Amino acid sequence: MTKGIILLAAGGTGGHLFPAEALAHELKARGYSVHLVTDSRAERFAGKFPADEIHVVPSATIGSKNPVAVAKSLFKLWTGLRAARKLIGRIKPLAVVGFGGYPTVPPLLAATGLGVPSMIHEQNAVMGRANKALAKRVKVIAGGFLPEGAGAYADKTVTTGNPVRPAVLAAANTPYQPSLEGQPFNLVVFGGSQGAQFFSRAIPTALSLLDESERNRIVLTQQARPEDQDQVGSCFAKLKMSPDVSAFFPDMAERLASAHLVICRSGASTVSEVSVIGRPSILVPYPYALDHDQAANAAALVATGGAEVVSQAELSPERLAEKLKAALHEPERLAKMAEAARQAGRPHATTLLADMVVAIAGAQGIAQFKGVRA
């Protein structure tokens, strides 16, 4: 017999679902039944998500200025709100937790309207639009990078960090080993699909500007879109390099653990994983994000000394080559960055989030969590 049901609400993308999945595992280990409410996009993740039941509730985003489109979205949101109220009335969850994305709006509005204890988790340093719309109504706001003691909801915000995968927690046990002069230098480059496209052009050109002796030290793992891989492979062949190039690496956590330097975008999950493992990085925020959340995420790690941040517009091949050259010859600096990144990591984010959920489910307040650091 379970202790009761916890309802998790998340948009149907990996960025929203993965932290919810980590929390679900922890809550189930503590004896709770977990239900997930999301949208139809989440079906591809359903096999991995440890939910006892998965519910799809209608929702929509109001991003159009077309009056007809806005009216359709509002009707869909109203339909979703009615469905969410019916769902919550039937399963009677002890608490509802939202992880962002427009599909969380109807369940959280329904829960707060019915008086069910509710909280949201925001991955990024800048709150997304769905969470911003819900922040006033919920009891607690957990943040991956949100600062405590600041902002409109400082009194109920706790910086927990972002839950990371078990493989990342295991990789965090690998200490950083600097690459000394003449030794192999493991370079890991990855990003989202657009990030991979930019890096597919920038990295080979930058490496071509290094001395041959420097280039020969580099052992490269690079993410590249399938349509870019032939071109990337041809560029590296001209440089007499044989990197591992793929659209997906199932062992990315292990590759990060062996990295001497990481070059990547600064999405919330990426920054969280790099900091938990503790590796020096050059962060290149995605420049077209509506809320500039990646730039804010990067700033959070840069402030600790664990990373450098360079805007995409300023990252010419020549500048990137200069940074790679410096990294190859400054092992002590990179080791200090690795330690600073590790100190900024929050490996206990999932545990703290679960503690908070249990607290609000038991009608406790947030006071016991203020000042807690994962």
Side-chain angles (χ1 to χ4, degrees):
M1 185 174 179
T2 68
K3 296 179 180 179
I5 294 173
I6 305 294
L7 180 62
L8 307 185
T13 63
H16 295 129
L17 281 167
F18 292 154
E21 179 184 338
L23 176 61
H25 281 290
E26 178 67 19
L27 290 172
K28 287 181 73 71
R30 298 188 185 198
Y32 291 89
S33 173
V34 174
H35 288 214
L36 171 68
V37 58
T38 183
D39 61 22
S40 57
R41 295 174 298 168
E43 291 177 353
R44 64 188 183 277
F45 299 106
K48 296 181 179 179
F49 204 101
D52 295 297
E53 290 188 40
I54 296 179
H55 312 277
V56 175
V57 167
S59 187
T61 179
I62 305 176
S64 173
K65 294 182 180 179
N66 184 303
V68 175
V70 170
K72 288 182 178 179
S73 295
L74 289 172
F75 178 75
K76 196 169 185 180
L77 283 168
W78 178 74
T79 302
L81 178 59
R82 290 187 63 188
R85 287 177 64 91
K86 184 176 180 180
L87 170 65
I88 290 172
R90 177 172 64 84
I91 68 174
K92 295 179 172 55
L94 299 175
V96 179
V97 187
F99 283 87
Y102 64 85
T104 65
V105 174
L108 268 295
L109 287 179
T112 54
L114 292 169
V116 179
S118 305
M119 62 179 281
I120 55 176
H121 177 271
E122 171 58 57
Q123 281 188 287
N124 294 292
V126 177
M127 193 175 289
R129 284 169 291 175
N131 276 345
K132 192 177 295 184
L134 296 166
K136 185 177 181 179
R137 300 175 65 98
V138 299
K139 294 185 67 173
V140 182
I141 300 169
F145 294 102
L146 293 178
E148 286 186 22
Y153 307 104
D155 60 327
K156 58 180 178 180
T157 299
V158 176
T159 304
T160 60
N162 291 311
V164 296
R165 299 169 292 147
V168 173
L169 294 176
N173 294 321
T174 303
Y176 183 76
Q177 297 290 342
S179 171
L180 304 180
E181 290 291 338
Q183 293 180 343
F185 185 95
N186 296 327
L187 175 64
V188 175
V189 181
F190 69 101
S193 59
Q194 295 302 311
Q197 182 182 31
F198 169 73
F199 292 137
S200 291
R201 297 192 304 267
I203 296 298
T205 306
L207 291 177
S208 72
L209 300 176
L210 298 180
D211 295 337
E212 184 177 0
S213 60
E214 294 170 328
R215 193 162 55 243
N216 288 341
R217 287 180 58 194
I218 293 178
V219 180
L220 176 64
T221 290
Q222 179 159 351
Q223 181 194 45
R225 302 182 310 166
E227 57 266 40
D228 295 333
Q229 288 180 25
D230 287 344
Q231 180 181 354
V232 171
S234 176
C235 291
F236 284 126
K238 293 177 182 177
L239 297 175
K240 298 180 180 180
M241 296 182 68
S242 301
D244 283 341
V245 179
S246 178
F248 177 73
F249 293 97
D251 60 343
M252 181 56 83
E254 291 81 1
R255 290 174 184 264
L256 287 174
S258 66
H260 295 109
L261 178 67
V262 179
I263 300 176
C264 57
R265 290 301 194 195
S266 52
S269 293
T270 295
V271 174
S272 297
E273 292 188 356
V274 170
S275 59
V276 166
I277 296 174
R279 295 298 178 263
S281 59
I282 296 174
L283 302 176
V284 187
Y286 181 62
Y288 307 114
L290 291 176
D291 300 317
H292 301 291
D293 52 339
Q294 288 207 5
N297 296 342
L301 187 53
V302 170
T304 71
E308 296 181 62
V309 61
V310 186
S311 71
Q312 181 170 307
E314 296 176 346
L315 193 60
S316 65
E318 291 77 13
R319 186 172 183 188
L320 181 54
E322 289 175 2
K323 290 191 171 296
L324 287 171
K325 184 183 289 285
L328 285 163
H329 299 293
E330 299 175 356
E332 291 184 2
R333 178 176 67 87
L334 293 192
K336 290 179 180 178
M337 288 179 66
E339 179 58 22
R342 191 184 68 82
Q343 292 295 331
R346 297 178 180 270
H348 305 299
T350 305
T351 301
L352 183 54
L353 265 179
D355 289 344
M356 294 173 68
V357 174
V358 171
I360 67 164
Q364 299 178 43
I366 189 178
Q368 62 179 305
F369 295 107
K370 299 302 288 183
V372 171
R373 295 296 184 269

